[in-house]
Amino acid sequence: MQTLNFEFPADRPPVRRAHVGVAGSGDLEVLMTPGPAGVARVRVRTSVDGFDAVWRVVLERFFARHRVAAAFELNDSGATPGVVTLRLRQAVEESMEEGGA
């Protein structure tokens, strides 16, 4: 098990928390909490060691487009970069909805 921490510039505050996905085989759970303005903080807990550079590239690409100021907890069980991007987009979409679940 490996834990990675990243920070990215962010200027778009979410409306609320979000929880998408599950920490199961080939999937990713994303827990997102509104955070301080100006930064997106990401903690990745992954069962697959040695992919630090891949995580950095995927997250840099995502946060270049989605500058959401929040704390992200990513619990990974071998998700592909495509699944990572999908789950992050779902979390951002859910967090921007007024009066959600």
Side-chain angles (χ1 to χ4, degrees):
M1 183 67 85
Q2 184 174 17
T3 300
L4 308 170
N5 292 289
F6 302 95
E7 287 191 2
F8 301 96
D11 53 16
R12 190 170 152 214
V15 175
R16 64 186 187 89
R17 294 172 171 240
H19 178 198
V20 298
V22 295
S25 181
D27 207 344
L28 179 78
E29 176 183 48
V30 176
L31 304 163
M32 185 178 139
T33 306
V39 67
R41 289 193 174 98
V42 184
R43 180 179 354 207
V44 179
R45 290 186 185 106
T46 179
S47 61
V48 184
D49 293 346
F51 283 84
D52 308 40
V54 173
W55 277 105
R56 177 166 297 287
V57 168
V58 170
L59 294 172
E60 283 175 347
R61 189 173 299 148
F62 180 81
F63 285 102
R65 293 184 185 134
H66 305 279
R67 297 173 51 96
V68 179
F72 293 80
E73 295 282 335
L74 281 56
N75 298 309
D76 173 51
S77 293
T80 65
V83 170
V84 172
T85 301
L86 171 70
R87 291 291 185 221
L88 285 168
R89 287 179 62 196
Q90 288 173 328
V92 168
E93 185 177 304
E94 184 176 303
S95 75
M96 296 299 178
E97 295 173 358
E98 294 282 345

